[in-house]
Coordinates of all heavy atoms in Angstrom, one line a residue:
D43 N 7.9 -9.9 -15.8 CA 7.0 -11.0 -16.2 C 7.9 -12.2 -16.6 O 8.6 -12.1 -17.6 CB 6.1 -10.6 -17.3 CG 5.2 -11.8 -17.7 OD1 5.3 -12.8 -17.3 OD2 4.2 -11.4 -18.5
V44 N 8.0 -13.2 -15.8 CA 8.9 -14.4 -16.1 C 8.3 -15.5 -16.8 O 8.8 -16.6 -16.9 CB 9.7 -14.9 -14.7 CG1 10.5 -13.7 -14.2 CG2 8.6 -15.4 -13.8
R45 N 7.1 -15.3 -17.4 CA 6.4 -16.2 -18.2 C 7.1 -16.3 -19.6 O 7.8 -15.5 -19.9 CB 4.9 -15.9 -18.3 CG 4.2 -15.9 -17.0 CD 2.7 -15.5 -17.1 NE 2.6 -14.1 -17.7 CZ 1.6 -13.6 -18.4 NH1 0.6 -14.5 -18.5 NH2 1.7 -12.5 -19.0
E49 N 3.1 -16.4 -23.6 CA 2.1 -16.0 -22.6 C 2.1 -14.5 -22.4 O 1.0 -13.9 -22.3 CB 2.6 -16.7 -21.2 CG 2.3 -18.2 -21.0 CD 2.9 -18.7 -19.8 OE1 4.2 -18.7 -19.6 OE2 2.1 -19.1 -19.0
F95 N 8.8 -9.7 -9.4 CA 8.6 -10.7 -10.3 C 7.3 -11.3 -10.2 O 6.7 -11.5 -9.2 CB 9.7 -11.8 -10.0 CG 11.1 -11.3 -10.2 CD1 11.8 -10.9 -9.1 CD2 11.8 -11.4 -11.4 CE1 13.0 -10.3 -9.3 CE2 13.0 -10.9 -11.6 CZ 13.7 -10.4 -10.5
F96 N 6.7 -11.8 -11.4 CA 5.5 -12.5 -11.4 C 5.3 -13.5 -12.6 O 6.1 -13.3 -13.5 CB 4.3 -11.5 -11.4 CG 4.0 -10.9 -12.7 CD1 3.1 -11.4 -13.7 CD2 4.7 -9.8 -13.1 CE1 2.9 -10.8 -14.9 CE2 4.5 -9.2 -14.4 CZ 3.5 -9.7 -15.2
C97 N 4.5 -14.4 -12.5 CA 4.2 -15.3 -13.6 C 2.7 -15.5 -13.7 O 1.9 -14.5 -13.4 CB 4.9 -16.6 -13.3 SG 4.3 -17.5 -11.7
Q98 N 2.2 -16.7 -14.1 CA 0.8 -16.9 -14.3 C 0.1 -17.2 -13.0 O -0.9 -16.7 -12.6 CB 0.6 -18.0 -15.2 CG -0.9 -18.2 -15.7 CD -1.5 -17.0 -16.5 OE1 -0.8 -16.4 -17.2 NE2 -2.7 -16.8 -16.3
L99 N 0.7 -18.1 -12.2 CA 0.1 -18.6 -11.0 C 0.9 -18.4 -9.7 O 0.4 -18.5 -8.6 CB -0.3 -20.2 -11.1 CG -1.3 -20.5 -12.2 CD1 -1.4 -22.0 -12.4 CD2 -2.6 -19.8 -12.0
G100 N 2.2 -18.3 -9.8 CA 3.1 -18.0 -8.7 C 4.3 -18.8 -8.6 O 5.3 -18.4 -8.0
R101 N 4.4 -20.0 -9.2 CA 5.5 -20.9 -9.0 C 6.8 -20.3 -9.6 O 7.8 -20.2 -9.0 CB 5.2 -22.2 -9.5 CG 6.3 -23.3 -9.2 CD 5.9 -24.6 -9.7 NE 5.7 -24.7 -11.1 CZ 6.6 -24.9 -12.1 NH1 7.9 -25.0 -11.6 NH2 6.3 -24.9 -13.3
R102 N 6.7 -19.9 -10.9 CA 7.9 -19.3 -11.6 C 8.3 -18.0 -11.0 O 9.5 -17.7 -10.9 CB 7.7 -19.3 -13.1 CG 7.5 -20.6 -13.8 CD 7.1 -20.4 -15.3 NE 5.7 -20.1 -15.3 CZ 5.0 -19.8 -16.4 NH1 5.6 -19.9 -17.6 NH2 3.7 -19.6 -16.4
G103 N 7.3 -17.2 -10.6 CA 7.6 -16.0 -10.0 C 8.4 -16.1 -8.6 O 9.4 -15.4 -8.4
S104 N 8.1 -17.1 -7.9 CA 8.8 -17.3 -6.7 C 10.2 -17.8 -7.0 O 11.2 -17.5 -6.3 CB 8.0 -18.2 -5.6 OG 8.1 -19.6 -6.0
Q105 N 10.3 -18.7 -8.0 CA 11.7 -19.2 -8.4 C 12.5 -18.0 -8.8 O 13.7 -17.9 -8.5 CB 11.5 -20.1 -9.6 CG 11.0 -21.5 -9.3 CD 10.8 -22.3 -10.6 OE1 10.5 -21.8 -11.6 NE2 10.7 -23.6 -10.4
H120 N 8.2 -10.9 -4.7 CA 7.3 -11.7 -5.6 C 5.8 -11.2 -5.5 O 5.4 -11.1 -4.3 CB 7.4 -13.1 -5.0 CG 6.6 -14.1 -5.7 ND1 5.9 -15.1 -5.0 CD2 6.3 -14.3 -6.9 CE1 5.3 -15.8 -5.8 NE2 5.4 -15.4 -7.1
Y121 N 5.2 -11.1 -6.6 CA 3.8 -10.7 -6.6 C 3.2 -12.1 -6.6 O 2.9 -12.7 -7.7 CB 3.5 -9.9 -7.9 CG 1.9 -9.8 -8.0 CD1 1.1 -9.6 -6.9 CD2 1.4 -9.6 -9.3 CE1 -0.2 -9.5 -7.2 CE2 0.0 -9.6 -9.5 CZ -0.8 -9.5 -8.4 OH -2.1 -9.3 -8.6
A122 N 2.8 -12.6 -5.4 CA 2.2 -14.0 -5.3 C 0.9 -14.2 -5.9 O 0.6 -15.3 -6.3 CB 2.2 -14.3 -3.7
G123 N 0.0 -13.1 -6.0 CA -1.2 -13.2 -6.7 C -1.0 -13.5 -8.2 O -2.0 -14.1 -8.8
A124 N 0.1 -13.2 -8.7 CA 0.4 -13.4 -10.1 C -0.6 -12.8 -11.1 O -1.5 -12.1 -10.8 CB 0.6 -15.0 -10.3
Y125 N -0.4 -13.1 -12.4 CA -1.2 -12.5 -13.5 C -2.6 -13.0 -13.4 O -3.6 -12.3 -13.7 CB -0.6 -12.9 -14.8 CG -1.3 -12.2 -16.0 CD1 -1.2 -10.8 -16.1 CD2 -2.0 -12.9 -17.0 CE1 -1.9 -10.1 -17.1 CE2 -2.6 -12.2 -18.0 CZ -2.6 -10.8 -18.1 OH -3.2 -10.1 -19.0
K126 N -2.9 -14.3 -12.8 CA -4.2 -14.7 -12.6 C -5.1 -13.7 -11.7 O -6.1 -13.4 -12.1 CB -4.2 -16.1 -11.9 CG -5.5 -16.8 -11.7 CD -5.2 -18.1 -11.1 CE -6.6 -18.9 -10.9 NZ -7.5 -18.2 -9.9
E127 N -4.5 -13.3 -10.6 CA -5.2 -12.3 -9.7 C -5.4 -11.0 -10.4 O -6.4 -10.4 -10.3 CB -4.4 -12.2 -8.4 CG -5.1 -11.2 -7.5 CD -4.3 -10.9 -6.2 OE1 -3.1 -10.4 -6.3 OE2 -4.8 -11.1 -5.1
W128 N -4.3 -10.5 -11.1 CA -4.4 -9.2 -11.8 C -5.5 -9.2 -12.7 O -6.3 -8.3 -12.8 CB -3.0 -9.0 -12.5 CG -3.0 -7.6 -13.2 CD1 -3.4 -7.4 -14.5 CD2 -2.6 -6.4 -12.6 NE1 -3.3 -6.0 -14.7 CE2 -2.7 -5.4 -13.6 CE3 -2.0 -6.0 -11.4 CZ2 -2.4 -4.0 -13.4 CZ3 -1.7 -4.7 -11.2 CH2 -1.9 -3.7 -12.1
L129 N -5.6 -10.3 -13.6 CA -6.7 -10.4 -14.5 C -8.1 -10.4 -13.8 O -9.0 -9.8 -14.4 CB -6.6 -11.7 -15.4 CG -5.9 -11.7 -16.7 CD1 -6.1 -13.0 -17.4 CD2 -6.5 -10.6 -17.7
E130 N -8.2 -11.1 -12.7 CA -9.5 -11.2 -12.1 C -9.9 -9.8 -11.6 O -11.0 -9.5 -11.6 CB -9.3 -12.2 -10.9 CG -9.4 -13.6 -11.3 CD -8.9 -14.5 -10.2 OE1 -8.7 -14.1 -9.0 OE2 -8.8 -15.8 -10.4

Side-chain angles (χ1 to χ4, degrees):
D43 181 348
V44 298
R45 299 175 303 155
E49 286 173 292
F95 297 92
F96 75 95
C97 61
Q98 186 67 32
L99 300 171
R101 189 175 58 84
R102 289 171 289 177
S104 79
Q105 288 173 334
H120 177 220
Y121 172 37
Y125 189 59
K126 181 178 185 292
E127 179 185 60
W128 183 269
L129 263 187
E130 287 165 2

